[in-house]
Amino acid sequence: MNSITRPATEKDARFLAEIMHESVIPVVNRGPFDAALEGLGIDPISFDEALILSGANHWGPLESFIVLEIDGELVGAAAAYPSKQPDMRPITPEGLEKVAAHLGWTPEQSRGFWRKYVSFFGLFPELPHLAQPADYVLEYVAIKEAWRGRGLFLKLVEAHAERARKLGYKTLGISAVIGNDPAYRNYQKFAKFHCRVGPEVYRNTFPGFDRFVMEL
């Protein structure tokens, strides 16, 4: 079995979109933007792909993704972003303009998405539950279902940790949706539990997150 990790390219965009959606599905059975997309005539994976290609994916721009290949097959990926940003939401107002232009949305469609989006992620760019305890934050991390249970997830973590060190970061953070026990067990292998952002923050519409930190 020949495995490699490499930086993602535009050719990987559809696969990366599938990974974005899959990273949350195991617990809540829906992606992070599904509710905001209702009635807009686009499926969540196509929207995630547009986010990536338009440069609007604030929690994981295309150049941040690392892809895992085994014998030429794409089997997993993970994105990352720096925690010190003026707007900590996964899509900023500027990002919405980019993806809306990419998709050819009308102003009414953009406003409809934004109203639902901020009801979950918040109207303001800096909110306590969006704060991250680490410098370099992993996001949208997943391995294709057929390849799980083989420790491949750690190859993506190692690749990102190496990149983070080269960039001068001191800590790497990752979050598990509360209830995702396999992720929790994986994260404990390389990181320490830091804090919990519970469901009450999301008005009990989402399980919340456990945040972990790895010293680099």
Side-chain angles (χ1 to χ4, degrees):
M1 185 173 71
N2 182 31
S3 68
I4 64 166
T5 54
R6 62 167 176 81
T9 69
E10 282 194 5
K11 292 181 180 180
D12 302 314
R14 186 70 181 183
F15 174 73
L16 301 180
E18 293 169 356
I19 287 294
M20 284 178 63
H21 203 255
E22 184 63 30
S23 65
V24 179
I25 287 295
V27 175
V28 298
N29 202 33
R30 58 184 171 87
F33 311 119
D34 289 21
L37 292 170
E38 290 178 0
L40 291 178
I42 183 171
D43 65 275
I45 292 176
S46 294
F47 177 77
D48 290 346
E49 183 180 21
L51 273 182
I52 293 167
L53 292 175
S54 66
N57 199 25
H58 200 218
W59 281 2
L62 174 64
E63 62 272 16
S64 81
F65 273 94
I66 290 177
V67 171
L68 173 64
E69 286 186 11
I70 295 181
D71 296 331
E73 179 183 351
L74 300 176
V75 303
Y81 65 93
S83 64
K84 306 303 181 187
Q85 301 188 93
D87 193 327
M88 291 302 296
R89 294 171 295 182
I91 304 174
T92 66
E94 296 78 14
L96 178 60
E97 291 181 5
K98 291 179 181 179
V99 73
H102 185 89
L103 293 170
W105 276 1
T106 65
E108 290 75 19
Q109 287 174 304
S110 295
R111 285 193 292 269
F113 174 89
W114 190 252
R115 281 194 298 270
K116 294 178 183 178
Y117 167 81
V118 297
S119 72
F120 183 79
F121 284 102
L123 182 60
F124 303 103
E126 293 186 58
L127 292 168
H129 69 279
L130 296 178
Q132 293 286 346
D135 303 324
Y136 182 94
V137 183
L138 294 190
E139 189 60 62
Y140 304 128
V141 186
I143 299 292
K144 288 172 63 176
E145 187 172 4
W147 290 91
R148 292 174 191 161
R150 309 186 193 192
L152 298 174
F153 166 83
L154 293 176
K155 291 183 179 294
L156 288 170
V157 174
E158 290 165 1
H160 269 290
E162 182 180 356
R163 176 189 282 176
R165 291 187 191 98
K166 288 179 179 178
L167 292 172
Y169 293 106
K170 302 299 182 184
T171 53
L172 179 149
I174 192 167
S175 298
V177 176
I178 296 171
N180 190 344
D181 294 336
Y184 200 103
R185 289 192 294 270
N186 269 327
Y187 297 176
Q188 286 184 312
K189 294 175 183 177
F190 63 88
K192 292 182 179 180
F193 173 79
H194 183 274
C195 65
R196 169 165 288 190
V197 179
E200 67 281 357
V201 172
Y202 301 97
R203 301 184 300 281
N204 295 308
T205 62
F206 184 78
F209 294 98
D210 284 328
R211 303 208 191 281
F212 295 78
V213 176
M214 171 185 178
E215 298 290 335
L216 297 173

